[in-house]
Every structure is written in C-alpha cells, then in structure tokens.
Amino acid sequence: MDKRDIGEFSCKAEAFEASEDIGRNPSDGPTMGDIINKRFGRRDMLRGSLAAAAITAAFGPLALATAEKAKAAAGNGMKAAFSFDEVERGVDRTHHVAKGYKAEILIRWGDPVLPGAPAFDPMKQTAAAQKMQFGYNNDYVGYIGLPYGSNNPDHGLLCINHEYTDEEVMFPGVGVAQDGKDKDGKDIGFVAITKELVDIEMAAHGGTVIEVRKTGGKWAVVPDSKYNRRITASDTVMEITGPAAGHDRMKTKADPAGRQVIGMINNCAGGITPWGTYLSAEENVNGNFWGKVADDHPEAENYKRMGIPGNWYNWGAYHDRFDVSKEPNEANRFGWMVEIDPLDPASTPKKRTALGRFKHEGAESIVNKDGRVVVYMGDDERFDYVYKFVTEGKFDPSNRAANMDLLDKGTLYVAKYSEDGKGEWLPLTHGQGKLTAENGFKSQADVVIQARKAGDLLGATKMDRPEDVEPNPKTGKVYVMLTNNTNRKAEAVDAANPRGKNAFGHIIEMTPTGGDHASTTFAWDIMVKCGDPSVAEVGASFNPATSPNGWFGMPDNCAVDNQGRLWVATDGNSYKGTKTTDGVWAMETEGEMRGTSRLFFRVPVGAEMCGPCFTPDDRTLFVAVQHPATDNTKDWPEFGRSSSFEDPATRWPDFKDGMPPRPSVVMITKEDGGVIGV
Ligand code: FEO
Ligand code: CA
Ligand code: CA
C-alpha cells in the first residue's frame, strides 16, 4: 500500500533525472553485465577512471568478472532454477505473463462471496451488498488444501486480505480528492464522502475466505461454499488475546473489558501457519483514525510513534471510535497480527498481541528443528524494524487443536544487524535490559503495545522499510524485502542499509546460526540492491546475467515455492521511475546465478503486485492485482492525468464502458499444465 508514499514518486523521479540521457536496451539479447561492460568499458574500470570508480561501487568487480560465466550458465540452463521466456518490461492497460502461460481472473472486487450476494453494480453500491461481495484491494493470498492436511493442489481455501480503499476509482462523482486534496494539492477536506460511502469502505476492508477448485485445468470459486466468509472492518467481532488482553490501555466505552474489538483494518500481507490458520497483518492503521489527543495525554508519545491520527479517511466523522479525541484507546486495538481459522467460518478471529503492535507487513512462519514455531515479520515504515516471534510451545502435527493458541506465549525479538555481516535478535521482554518501569514499561502489555519504542531502546537496526520476511524451508535462509527509503541520508547509511536516498530498495538474506531459527544470532548478506544496474548513481547490484527486463525496484511481497525458489513481487515501479509496471520476478538465490532475476508477470498501469501464492504442486500461482489505475498515471504519457471513477487510466479487467477498474486475484497456470517457472 502506498497511500502515504505518494511523495516517494517525485523522489524516484529525481533519482532518475540524472540518468535520463542514458539509453536503455529493451531487447532480451544482452545481459546487464554486457551492457555495463560496453558502456563503461572493462579497460576504463581497470584504469580506475571516475566513471569506472562509480560503477565499481555500484557493481562489484567480481560480479563483472563472472558476467560471462554466469551468462554461459544461463544459456545452458546450468544451475539455473528458472528457464521461462521473460516478459518485456513496459507500461500499458493490461497484464502480461510469460509465453506459454495463462493468466486468468479468478475473482474481482464486487464478485459474490456469500450466498445471496447481489451482482456487482458500480452505480448502486451499498454496504449491505459489499459485506457479501469480494472486498477491495486484494493483497495477501494464502492457500490451504482440502481436506485439511491433504496438501491437495487442486481443491482448497484461499485466504485473501483487503487492505484499503481507493475512493476516487470506486465511487462515482467523488473526483480525484482521495486524500482530501484536489488535483492541485489544495486541501478541500473529504467533501464528497458520505456516511453511506464510509460504510461501504469499511465493508470493503478486511478479508475473504473462498473455497476454490480446479477442474479441467481451470480454477473456479465454489459458489455458496460453507467455508466462504467475509471479514470486515465494520462487523467482524474479534477477540484480543495475549499479554495486552484486558489491559487498561485496551479498554473502550464499547468494550470495558479490553478483550473484544470489531474488525481489522489495513491488512497487508500475512501467512498460513503450520496448523492451517490464516495470519492477517494490520499495517497502516494510523490512516483510519482522525481527531487529536492532547500533547500530555498518556498515549500521545505512543500515537506519535505510530503516526496516529493519519487522517486518510473520514471514518471518525460517523464512527466515534475512529476519532481519538472521543475514544482515545481504540487505536491501541489495531496494528496487531490477526489469526483466523478458515476451516471454521463461525470462529472468532484473534488479535495475537504477543506478536507486538506496529505496522505489520506480513507473517511467514516455519517449524524450527526443535518443534517451536518461528514467525518472521517486518514493520513497514522508513527506519523501522525486522522482528521474529518464537513460540514457547511446540507444534503438534497430529493434533490441530493443540496448536490453536501457540501464538499467545513466546518471545518477540527485534533484529540488530552488525557491520561485520553478523547479527543479533534482541528479546522484547519486560524487565530485561531497558524494558522496565523507569522507561514506561510496567508490564509485557506495555512492551507489546509500544513494540517500536521497545525496539528503539534496545538499539535495533533502523531499516529501509521492511516488507515481507520469508524463511526458505529448503535452505534455512530467510529473505527480507526492504522496499525503499528516500529519507535515509547519505551520512546515515549502515552495512545493512548501504544506500543514502534508497529509492529502489534491496533484499537481505539472513542465515540463522546452526540452522536454528530460534537462535539469537544470525549471519546476513545483501542479495541484490535494486534499481537499474547500468546507471552508476543508482548503485544497484543484480547478477550481471540479469537481462534488461530482469531488474526491478521496490521489492515488497515474496513467495518461496515448494521447491525453495524465490519469487519477488513489487510495489512502486512506474513509467517515469523504472519504465515498467509492478510485477513478479523470479530470483535465483543459489550458485553462480544467485542474484539473477527474470520478469514473469506484470500488472496493468497504476496497479501494485501482491500476494504471490503457489499451490502445493507449483502448477498454479495466484497473484493479487491491487489498485489498478491509481498510482503514477499522471506520469504515463498515454494517459497523463490522475484517474477517477469516470475517467480511469484502465478499466482492467472488464474493459467495459462504465465499469471501473477492479482489483482482482489472477490465477496463472502453464498452458501444458506443468510446473511454473521451468
Ligand atoms: Fe501494504 Fe507494506 O505494503
Ligand atoms: Ca508496499
Ligand atoms: Ca505490501
């Protein structure tokens, strides 16, 4: 999600301005290594001229030296995990997938989920209809084979987050004033948004569970399945569990016990646990609150650190709990990891407070060799942290019920990356180190409610916006997507965040000591620094075997498939920035090809790529196309303006007059039904 990131794009544009006179090679022929060698000249590099010095800093000489070897390996398919024909980078109104693959729409915003849901009518939207229909801005996608435990690749449940809403392309007649500003940036408030529209927005947030089945090589939603469920911001009652449950700071007028909250908001990515529940991560929850708490209010410091209120929506005008001046504790009840049992549609979702409160991006887990479960998490904000949670209890594969509250007890850690390629996990445990009453932490409830402050006091490493953090069960390595951070000053770089004004992000690989995910130490390395490797000022580093289509910016979500191959989805690529929309890139992680990426799928203009999710046989890849037509459409010469409901940059995926663009889940299969990527 990038509502708050609109300012980023001018920075990205700036980053590219210096390099716009340098042409780019659109063909699939040469690798980036060839281009770099040709442009800068190996001789110049060896002589150490100024340009060569810059390119060496951007792209290590060792990498250049191995370019030919890597290309030969790619040509022979040696050690390469992937061998599909790349999609060409670009920007247009529709999606594109690699040759030999099919990409078809599975479900769109407004499609029926629950029995009796009306057909989607963009001119007659109601909150009541939206509560039964597929929500907006699909982000995380998780798959669980049916029956549970079968790993069935052809029949299962999809668990999907609906992160946020884009009013300007959802509702007729609201113009482009999505953030209370007109197209010239003048503040005009939320004039066009009514209570009825707010209630539709709340119903469009949350999550969806659908039963899906593959027949004759094609997937479809099972209509009226007993599993189908909508979770919304307006109606779904959730239980608060773990250290913060029942604490005074969690109590409100509607919930004097501090144990029950209605809804989840801004759910970005997530994870499926080893026991088949769905973790849904509340991310930019600050945006949904407005109002003000006094500077000397007990929550003032806490809310400032979380950016509350964000004033992105006017929910507070009609629902007092989203106005912090009227209900000051409500914002403490959001920003958590929510656990949902998709096998039981009547179950109460649980906000697992032991996993901390911050802007949770996702939650990918692994069963450690000692049976404990480790959940890796990122806090998506500039200069915020990477976390993990280690359960106290062990996973019992033969007793699902025994695992259902594992996430209530354990240790939350925050990461500290040292300059020498090693690192430490620092426990966020009340009473240890500085996490004491003198510093405002009277109990573990205070620690989890203000996990960011606890990380600040322990000296955690300030990262360039941590998004997905995903362990690879085949190798034991953990990949960290760091999307960008243009606010990092050149003098504030460190080994793990090595670029000032980091417009394109990077990917870190962590190796737990002794293959033990519960270990408090690890080694780490930077796998790629993103951006155009042929532009020295960008300082990018992909494997030189990467083609001109293969590099990308802004890694966000990722997936490790069932063979241990890494796939990276991006958020923020654009015509002006990287000359391509967002997409899914396949990333080599081992051997000589390590750091080589290839473009597999890309989204229509203005969209973000979310939720890559493989079925257990790697023959289907589900992806979520979020907010088509919204981001950076002004910079795309074919459109050149901001989108509105009446005038969107694309009407993907329906392309029908009057039908707005619709965020959708796409199913990708190989035409011959084979394993994806080879
Ligand atoms: Fe919702 Fe961090 O992306
Ligand atoms: Ca993002
Ligand atoms: Ca994301």
Side-chain angles (χ1 to χ4, degrees):
M1 115 81 88
D2 263 317
K3 266 199 181 218
R4 119 238 54 184
D5 269 341
I6 289 162
E8 285 278 287
F9 299 113
S10 58
C11 302
K12 281 174 204 155
E14 273 170 39
F16 267 83
E17 249 153 46
S19 63
E20 261 173 10
D21 57 330
I22 301 171
R24 288 182 186 76
N25 187 337
S27 81
D28 279 329
T31 66
M32 293 309 291
D34 295 332
I35 292 167
I36 291 163
N37 277 331
K38 200 169 162 200
R39 184 166 300 151
F40 294 95
R42 202 175 282 246
R43 233 154 43 105
D44 284 349
M45 194 188 81
L46 293 172
R47 269 195 217 131
S49 70
L50 187 65
I55 200 71
T56 306
F59 213 105
L62 188 65
L64 285 176
T66 59
E68 274 168 37
K69 254 171 122 181
K71 197 183 176 194
N76 298 333
M78 278 166 57
K79 293 184 191 163
F82 305 101
S83 63
F84 57 87
D85 289 338
E86 278 194 287
V87 175
E88 228 174 84
R89 66 195 305 114
V91 178
D92 58 52
R93 289 187 166 80
T94 194
H95 64 268
H96 299 270
V97 69
K99 207 168 92 194
Y101 292 83
K102 288 184 287 187
E104 300 163 291
I105 307 299
L106 177 73
I107 189 166
R108 303 159 295 184
W109 167 49
D111 280 346
V113 171
L114 299 182
F120 179 61
D121 182 343
M123 302 307 288
K124 287 186 192 152
Q125 299 177 58
T126 65
Q130 180 63 81
K131 286 172 192 176
M132 295 190 277
Q133 297 165 333
F134 195 59
Y136 206 76
N137 274 349
N138 33 221
D139 196 300
Y140 176 74
V141 182
Y143 178 88
I144 299 169
L146 284 177
Y148 169 71
S150 68
N151 238 14
N152 189 341
D154 299 325
H155 178 207
L157 300 178
L158 282 187
C159 306
I160 300 154
N161 286 348
H162 301 295
E163 187 181 9
Y164 67 108
T165 47
D166 283 295
E167 293 68 33
E168 76 279 20
V169 286
M170 284 177 79
F171 303 134
V174 301
V176 295
Q178 55 175 323
D179 291 319
K181 294 186 193 307
D182 69 11
K183 63 182 184 333
D184 301 317
K186 205 174 119 217
D187 204 332
I188 56 167
F190 298 95
V191 286
I193 301 293
T194 60
K195 179 173 187 299
E196 180 60 12
L197 295 185
V198 163
D199 290 346
I200 296 169
E201 290 171 15
M202 293 179 75
H205 275 67
T208 289
V209 178
I210 42 173
E211 183 181 350
V212 291
R213 191 190 291 274
K214 191 178 175 193
T215 0
K218 195 169 168 148
W219 289 89
V221 178
V222 177
D224 300 347
S225 157
K226 65 173 182 183
Y227 295 109
N228 289 3
R229 181 175 190 185
R230 272 307 322 280
I231 290 146
T232 69
S234 45
D235 291 80
T236 311
V237 174
M238 308 202 168
E239 187 185 337
I240 298 164
T241 73
H247 191 275
D248 283 348
R249 297 174 73 181
M250 303 292 279
K251 293 175 181 169
T252 62
K253 288 183 212 84
D255 174 30
R259 292 181 181 276
Q260 216 177 56
V261 56
I262 297 171
M264 59 183 197
I265 49 178
N266 260 277
N267 295 73
C268 196
I272 299 294
T273 63
W275 51 96
T277 58
Y278 152 38
L279 295 177
S280 184
E282 291 187 315
E283 193 191 31
N284 296 299
V285 298
N286 57 317
N288 300 72
F289 290 89
W290 77 359
K292 202 172 163 33
V293 291
D295 290 347
D296 60 353
H297 189 278
E299 298 298 348
E301 178 202 43
N302 165 24
Y303 286 175
K304 191 170 174 213
R305 186 70 175 81
M306 284 286 283
I308 294 167
N311 292 306
W312 298 347
Y313 295 89
N314 58 343
W315 295 9
Y318 307 107
H319 299 277
D320 284 355
R321 67 189 179 113
F322 290 103
D323 180 342
V324 290
S325 44
K326 292 182 178 152
E327 191 55 273
N329 280 351
E330 185 73 358
N332 276 337
R333 295 143 60 85
F334 293 88
W336 300 106
M337 189 59 64
V338 184
E339 185 174 14
I340 298 160
D341 182 2
L343 297 176
D344 176 5
S347 61
T348 302
K350 295 183 172 155
K351 295 204 176 183
R352 300 292 187 186
T353 67
L355 279 68
R357 174 172 163 274
F358 43 90
K359 294 188 181 178
H360 278 284
E361 171 69 24
E364 295 290 351
S365 57
I366 190 162
V367 180
N368 196 33
K369 54 188 182 182
D370 63 7
R372 288 183 290 170
V373 176
V374 180
V375 185
Y376 287 97
M377 302 175 286
D379 180 355
D380 182 6
E381 183 106 55
R382 297 175 186 90
F383 305 111
D384 261 294
Y385 306 134
V386 172
Y387 296 81
K388 75 172 177 183
F389 180 78
V390 181
T391 60
E392 186 182 292
K394 292 181 179 174
F395 171 59
D396 182 349
S398 61
N399 183 358
R400 183 171 191 253
N403 303 310
M404 294 306 269
D405 291 319
L406 272 181
L407 297 182
D408 280 342
K409 282 200 182 127
T411 306
L412 180 64
Y413 295 89
V414 67
K416 183 173 182 172
Y417 296 80
S418 308
E419 297 287 313
D420 60 359
K422 299 201 167 73
E424 266 181 280
W425 288 107
L426 310 169
L428 299 183
T429 303
H430 177 250
Q432 288 189 24
K434 292 183 177 169
L435 307 185
T436 55
E438 298 87 79
N439 291 316
F441 297 103
K442 295 197 194 94
S443 66
Q444 187 64 16
D446 289 329
V447 173
V448 293
I449 290 170
Q450 287 186 268
R452 283 181 163 184
K453 181 184 171 188
D456 298 343
L457 285 173
L458 296 185
T461 304
K462 298 178 193 311
M463 308 299 287
D464 288 347
R465 288 186 56 196
E467 304 252 23
D468 270 6
V469 183
E470 181 137 352
N472 184 341
K474 300 282 184 207
T475 62
K477 307 256 171 78
V478 180
Y479 308 111
V480 185
M481 305 295 124
L482 296 151
T483 206
N484 61 23
N485 182 356
T486 48
N487 288 357
R488 184 177 292 277
K489 301 242 175 4
E491 59 272 24
V493 299
D494 56 40
N497 301 278
R499 287 188 289 181
K501 209 171 180 186
N502 178 7
F504 301 100
H506 56 289
I507 299 177
I508 286 180
E509 183 186 73
M510 297 168 69
T511 308
T513 305
D516 176 7
H517 289 274
S519 172
T520 54
T521 59
F522 59 88
W524 65 269
D525 197 7
I526 292 182
M527 192 156 67
V528 288
K529 287 182 267 179
C530 305
D532 186 344
S534 71
V535 179
E537 294 87 336
V538 170
S541 63
F542 284 87
N543 187 308
T546 302
S547 87
N549 295 309
W551 63 269
F552 57 82
M554 289 70 77
D556 184 334
N557 299 126
C558 68
V560 172
D561 67 19
N562 300 280
Q563 302 161 58
R565 301 176 303 175
L566 179 63
W567 301 75
V568 178
T570 63
D571 171 17
N573 291 268
S574 66
Y575 179 83
K576 195 167 177 189
T578 53
K579 295 278 189 253
T580 188
T581 56
D582 285 315
V584 178
W585 276 264
M587 173 68 77
E588 303 279 352
T589 58
E590 304 296 325
E592 279 182 317
M593 297 294 286
R594 176 181 160 88
T596 309
S597 59
R598 299 165 78 89
L599 178 52
F600 181 69
F601 176 85
R602 69 175 162 86
V603 297
V605 64
E608 165 184 350
M609 183 83 279
C610 300
C613 167
F614 285 87
T615 47
D617 58 359
D618 291 334
R619 287 167 199 268
T620 302
L621 168 60
F622 294 106
V623 292
V625 175
Q626 196 187 75
H627 62 71
T630 67
D631 282 6
N632 297 311
T633 57
K634 259 188 190 169
D635 300 333
W636 182 42
E638 280 189 44
F639 192 67
R641 54 195 184 274
S642 295
S643 287
S644 64
F645 178 93
E646 291 77 13
D647 175 33
T650 178
R651 294 189 185 275
W652 186 91
D654 300 305
F655 296 107
K656 277 190 199 142
D657 285 349
M659 187 59 83
R662 299 166 79 183
S664 305
V665 174
V666 173
M667 48 192 165
I668 300 173
T669 51
K670 208 169 181 179
E671 275 164 9
D672 67 7
V675 168
I676 288 178
V678 289

